[in-house]
């Protein structure tokens, strides 16, 4: 029985060798790259005391002379080679870890049903199996296992780079979805979308393009939900101008979620409430293109009001992680469920 | 001929439709941004005069400049990094690959007296539709780029993301997609490989461009001294750094560092590529740092070569596809 299953798995993997091979290679390449970054950072042997909160200490002008030399190289490796994995920039706004789970999931999920339909072999394949659900399971399992292992390797290999980034002053909440188990849930979401669009369209390339668009839309929707969730957390003032020195004093490791206004009497009001006061003083409404409402800001500053950024701590922002996993995991499971129904009911042409 | 074109377009309706819609959407987006700028009603020369004055004076033109900048700071131009390549690959990959993948190549090729003619009949309608969509996007983005240049964006930084170069890049990607599709005979693998090859091609062309710019005769484009920085040539492309001695002589960065170290500046740490001790010594002793570079007009001279590179790759790939289609087995 197990020998039959292994033989069937080999056939499946041979059938999708290009897509599965490309996806596995991509995941392994990112994982190995992350391990090289970790090795190079470790090889510098920078004392942990130098690394800890480096970015904040540089800002506050703390005596860091002894650490400056080694930290320059350490930072160059982290932001240069490590930055490619974790942060997008300029014309390439997506980081490798931002793209990897979706690329792997779609490459693995799309051709499983779509290729059989496109090549006109679905009728034969389905008629040779007692149940189409069983056929689908046999096709999905080897691909999902292989890709799961490859993505898990990349997801856990990148952990050290994320830890290093957080240690020297970065935000852990900015890396939600870039490392650890959340990468796997994102890959599951994309795999499900790919499987469903493939079964629906019956053509690999259109299904891949549609799947990419849907995955992008899903990421956008989850980001919107994330922003809305952050705004519902209880905010605190995260930066103020010191009345003694005039310097801006930041609260370390906080995420901006909005803006508040402190009245000359010391009360905190929202920007919308401040705008009502500005309107009452007959100040012109903002230009439609002036998103910052510069006229109101100017009036408030002149009249002793202070604009203050509000936000939440990095730990509070990290509370989004389970919802992120839930969103992508649910989409993945629902899409795979939809694909099962579709495969059972559609004509094999 | 028309009926054949309709059949081809129906056969590849998803890919051609998606590619054409993407190009048209970006073009319309660029036009809408341009329209938004026109609706500001900026008096002619207002922004240019404010920028040329070099003051910080708070005038109405400064407000308009900020609003204008906010509008043209749109991701349209950024999206154009991907659109020509996506359009070219989507249009061309399935032309041969789909016939092979769905095992209809044998029938299609046997119904035509020559495979070359079959290929031409497949290519022509797709190229016409995508060419027209991309030409529209190219014109619309050219207009947008003109609006961006007014508020200080450099056309050199955006080279290849507006105007006719878009069509040339798409043609290159189209050829690559056609060849890879004919080679692999499967649409999705061919698309993925096509993406990898076009990324590599763009990287090679960018590297050659950097070398080309470095070989142009440089001039001093900005100067940094203890008193502050002065930009002498706006929108210039910096290619090297040099120093001006207190006697007014221009020397290379290597010579300047050698002078500093001979005069007693400490040797830099092994990981200090900027040689900070030398830099501090030079600043304290009246040496001014100079940025050497070429003017925007000189750097824009790369445009024909950029177009040529992608067109040559496109023509070579399409030419390479013909013998492949002629010789390969239809399975």
């Amino acid at each position: 029985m197990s020998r039959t299953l292994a033989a069937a798995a080999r056939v499946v993997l041979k059938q999708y060798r290009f897509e599965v091979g490309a996806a596995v290679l991509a995941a392994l390449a990112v994982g190995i790259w992350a391990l090289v970054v970790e090795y190079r950072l470790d090889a510098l042997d920078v004392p942990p005391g130098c690394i800890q909160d480096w970015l904040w200490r540089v800002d506050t002008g703390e005596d860091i002379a002894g650490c400056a030399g080694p930290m320059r190289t350490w930072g160059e490796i982290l932001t240069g080679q490590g930055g490619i994995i974790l942060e997008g920039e300029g014309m390439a706004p997506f980081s490798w870890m931002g793209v990897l789970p979706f690329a792997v999931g779609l490459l693995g999920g799309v051709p499983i049903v779509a290729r059989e339909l496109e090549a006109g072999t679905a009728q034969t394949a389905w008629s040779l199996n007692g149940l189409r659900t069983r056929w689908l399971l046999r096709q999905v399992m080897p691909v999902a296992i292989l890709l799961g292992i490859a993505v898990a390797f990349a997801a856990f290999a990148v952990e050290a780079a994320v830890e290093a980034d957080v240690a020297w002053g970065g935000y852990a909440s900015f890396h939600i979805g870039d490392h650890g188990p959340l990468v796997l849930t994102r890959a599951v979401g994309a795999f499900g979308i790919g499987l469903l669009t493939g079964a629906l369209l019956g053509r690999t390339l259109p299904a891949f393009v549609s799947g990419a668009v849907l995955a992008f839309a899903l990421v956008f929707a989850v980001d919107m939900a994330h922003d809305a969730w952050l705004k519902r957390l209880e905010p605190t003032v995260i930066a103020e101008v010191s009345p003694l020195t005039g310097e801006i004093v930041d609260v370390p490791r906080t995420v901006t979620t909005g803006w508040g206004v402190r009245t000359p009497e010391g009360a905190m009001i929202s920007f919308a409430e401040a705008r009502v006061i500005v309107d009452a003083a007959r100040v012109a409404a903002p230009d439609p293109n002036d998103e910052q409402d510069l006229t109101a800001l100017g009036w408030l500053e002149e009249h002793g009001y202070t604009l203050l950024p509000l936000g939440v701590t990095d730990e509070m922002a990290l509370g989004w992680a389970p919802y992120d996993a839930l969103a992508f995991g649910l989409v993945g499971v629902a899409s795979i469920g939809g694909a099962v129904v579709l495969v059972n009911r559609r004509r094999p042409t | 001929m028309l009926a054949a074109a309709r059949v081809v377009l129906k056969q590849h309706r998803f890919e051609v439709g998606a590619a054409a819609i993407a190009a048209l959407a970006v073009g319309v987006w660029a036009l809408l941004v341009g329209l938004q700028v026109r609706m500001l009603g900026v008096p002619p020369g207002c922004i240019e005069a404010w920028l040329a004055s070099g003051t910080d004076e708070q005038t109405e033109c400064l407000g308009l400049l900020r609003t204008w900048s906010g509008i043209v700071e749109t991701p349209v131009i950024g999206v154009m990094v991907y659109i020509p390549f996506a359009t070219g690959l989507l249009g061309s990959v399935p032309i041969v690959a789909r016939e092979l993948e769905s095992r209809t190549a044998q029938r299609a090729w046997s119904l035509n007296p020559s495979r070359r003619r079959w290929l031409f009949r497949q290519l022509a309608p797709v190229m016409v539709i995508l060419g027209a969509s991309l030409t529209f996007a190219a014109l619309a983005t050219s207009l947008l780029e003109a609006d961006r240049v007014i508020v200080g964006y450099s056309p050199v930084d955006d080279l290849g993301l507006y105007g006719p170069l878009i069509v040339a890049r798409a043609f290159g990607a189209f050829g690559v997609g056609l060849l890879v599709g004919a080679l692999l005979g499967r649409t999705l693998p061919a698309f993925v490989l096509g993406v990898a090859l076009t990324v590599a091609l763009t990287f090679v062309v960018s590297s050659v461009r950097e070398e080309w710019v470095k070989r142009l005769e440089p001039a001093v484009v900005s100067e940094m001294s203890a008193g502050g920085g002065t930009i002498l040539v706006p929108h210039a492309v910096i290619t090297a750094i040099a120093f001006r001695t207190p006697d007014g002589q221009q020397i290379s960065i290597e010579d300047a560092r050698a002078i500093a170290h001979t005069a007693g500046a400490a040797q830099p740490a092994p990981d200090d590529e900027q040689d900070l001790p030398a830099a501090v010594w030079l600043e304290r002793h009246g040496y001014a740092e100079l940025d050497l570079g070429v003017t925007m007009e000189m750097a824009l001279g790369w445009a024909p070569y950029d177009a040529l590179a992608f067109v040559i790759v496109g023509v070579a790939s399409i030419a390479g596809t013909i013998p492949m289609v002629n010789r390969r087995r239809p399975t």
Side-chain angles (χ1 to χ4, degrees), chain A residues 15 18-19 69 72-73 91-93 107 110-111 115 118-119 121 201 203-206 208-210 287 289 294, chain B residues 11 14-15 36 40 67 71 78 81-82 90 93-94 98 101-102 161 186-189 191-193 271-272 276:
Chain A
Q15 201 177 353
F18 184 93
E19 291 86 352
R72 187 184 302 121
T73 313
M91 295 301 184
L107 273 175
V110 161
R115 170 133 324 125
E118 194 164 30
T121 52
L201 298 180
R203 287 188 173 193
T204 49
L205 186 52
F208 185 77
V209 174
S210 307
D287 185 280
N289 293 309
L294 291 174
Chain B
Q11 197 180 355
F14 182 94
E15 291 86 353
Q36 229 179 326
L40 289 176
T67 315
I71 295 170
V81 174
Y82 310 105
L90 270 177
V93 159
R98 171 141 315 130
E101 193 164 31
S102 57
L161 310 180
R186 289 190 172 191
T187 50
L188 185 53
F191 184 75
V192 173
L193 189 61
D271 56 312
D272 180 8
L276 285 177

Side-chain angles (χ1 to χ4, degrees), chain B residues 245-316:
Chain B
T245 65
D247 320 328
Q249 243 185 326
Q250 188 178 313
I251 56 173
S252 70
I253 187 168
E254 292 79 16
D255 290 344
R257 283 177 178 171
I259 291 170
H261 291 305
T262 312
Q267 286 299 321
D271 56 312
D272 180 8
E273 288 175 12
Q274 293 176 307
D275 195 350
L276 285 177
V280 170
W281 188 94
L282 290 166
E283 192 183 330
R284 282 188 187 152
H285 290 79
Y287 286 73
E289 189 179 316
L290 307 171
D291 286 331
L292 303 182
V294 296
T295 62
M296 182 179 76
E297 289 74 18
M298 287 166 78
L300 282 175
W302 171 255
Y305 299 111
D306 193 282
L308 196 69
F310 285 98
V311 168
I312 285 176
V313 168
V315 169

Side-chain angles (χ1 to χ4, degrees), chain B residues 144-231:
Chain B
L144 174 62
E145 185 61 22
D147 289 339
R148 282 161 64 87
V149 170
I150 287 174
V151 288
Y153 284 90
S154 167
V156 178
D157 294 341
D158 294 341
L159 197 66
L161 310 180
Y162 64 92
L165 285 189
I166 290 173
V167 184
R169 288 182 166 209
F171 183 72
F174 188 91
V176 170
L178 189 72
L179 181 65
V180 176
L183 196 69
L184 297 183
R186 289 190 172 191
T187 50
L188 185 53
F191 184 75
V192 173
L193 189 61
V195 169
L197 288 174
T198 45
V199 168
L201 174 63
T202 312
F203 179 76
V204 169
V205 172
S206 298
S207 304
V208 175
R209 176 187 166 183
E210 277 176 28
E211 287 305 312
W212 179 83
V213 170
K214 278 182 189 163
R215 295 182 74 170
L216 296 176
E217 189 62 46
V220 177
V221 295
S222 64
E223 186 169 335
M224 286 290 290
S225 61
T230 314
I231 295 173

